Amino acid sequence: MILNQAGTRRFKAYTSKHLDELLQRAGLGDEERLKVRAVATVLPFRTNAYVVEELIDWSAAPDDPIYRLVFPQEDMLPAEDVARLADLLKAEAPNAEIQAEANRVRAQLNPHPAGQKELNVPKIDDEPVPGLQHKYPETVLFFPKQGQTCHAYCTYCFRWAQFVGDADLKFASDDIGQMVGYLRSHPEVTSVLITGGDAMIMGESVIRRYIEPLLELEQLESIRIGTKALAYWPQRFVTDPDADATLGLFEEVTNAGKNLAFMAHFSHPRELESPLVESAVKRILGSGATIRTQAPLIRSINDDPAVWTRMWRRQLRMGLIPYYMFVERDTGPQDYFAVPLARAYEIFRDAYASVSGLCRTVRGPSMSATPGKVCVDGVTEIAGERVFMLHLIQARDPSLVGRPFFARYDPTAVWLSDLRPAFADRFPFEQEEALLPV
């Protein structure tokens, strides 16, 4: 392992050029490795030495949950698409030909779900504002240009389109003035979420340029940072050269009277076990920031209530706030990872019933769908009909927040679009939807 002068491990990334070697370590044969490499021409692959050496149990690969969390699987895509790409790789076809086929497959994977391109992008003088999304009145998402990668990529990630090198699919901006100007013109915005990618891939001097101007905006109550760094590279807050400066910046945010909230992604309890993670968490909490945890429910990785119970309990002991269990979004290899909504509710219910009240800050299972965050509250029978009970935790139209509604029970449904209304001709959000002012 590479060491820096202080004796701590430097960050070392593994990309698709290292994939075949790593797959051999997992015990995959020639044809299996070829098919996985074919999938990796469509879906991005990136991991790092910490994940490879500290988190993955190689004796259990390829069934180890952390391995499955970061390594492509041959059956993530339709078999005929994988076969065509594998043939091209085997024949050593020109890269342009391989990429053209990969792009064709990507186009079928719904790269921007929930109206991200059509409905969420705000405008100034009828021109789209790059790198911003404004779906809910009080919250703006900002995608800093330098933060549009991650320490490692999750195989289920709904932001996979950010990482494939296609500028038309990517949200990103480094125009800080435009972001601030937009916020000033929309005083209803009280929270900014810095997202990606992963904001914590940026060094302190870069992230400071984006955060400092926000401290001058009286309207802002909170600044949120979406990150997987605590799971995939906790050194960022402990031993990296700018770790201390980063923690100092966090203190400046909280001293300025803003709530600084880390939206930390933990998908499996093993990601919480390292002493480095415990140290990183203590340092972040010591800055005055809060850490809220969230993750999607993913088949073959965490589709077991005992896994969520362990995860939430450990998070509580560490001072973290369980926040969301999400449903796998309708993008990328959704068919591979999706858990039926009926089963998702059972997993959430059983895990929720096994933890104390302090853990029950968590909400879910929640779908981040076009109308908003739709929560599955349960399955019941009303007037002889079995139905899903649902409500909107957050909504594009604020008047819909908290209003219960019902859908016909369907044991195979995995997403909102699979559901049909019960006791009504349409769902409440299928009325003429009010779009955000721009």
Side-chain angles (χ1 to χ4, degrees), residues 22-43:
L22 291 168
L23 294 173
Q24 290 182 54
R25 186 171 175 179
L28 273 61
D30 292 348
E31 285 300 311
E32 292 174 304
R33 298 200 311 273
L34 180 64
K35 289 179 180 178
V36 172
R37 288 171 51 217
V39 172
T41 65
V42 176
L43 299 171

Side-chain angles (χ1 to χ4, degrees), residues 94-162:
N95 186 61
E97 188 176 349
I98 294 171
Q99 285 305 308
E101 179 62 17
N103 288 337
R104 184 193 67 79
V105 177
R106 284 187 194 120
Q108 302 171 35
L109 298 179
N110 188 24
H112 282 302
Q116 289 187 107
K117 282 279 189 179
E118 300 82 7
L119 301 177
N120 294 1
V121 177
K123 295 181 179 179
I124 297 177
D125 297 329
D126 293 325
E127 290 296 320
V129 183
L132 257 66
Q133 288 188 31
H134 191 179
K135 182 175 181 178
Y136 308 126
E138 68 281 353
T139 304
V140 159
L141 277 61
F142 182 66
F143 297 74
K145 181 178 179 180
Q146 299 91 334
Q148 299 315 305
T149 186
C150 297
H151 294 96
Y153 296 151
C154 297
T155 43
Y156 64 74
C157 184
F158 80 98
R159 295 266 193 232
W160 62 270
Q162 292 287 97

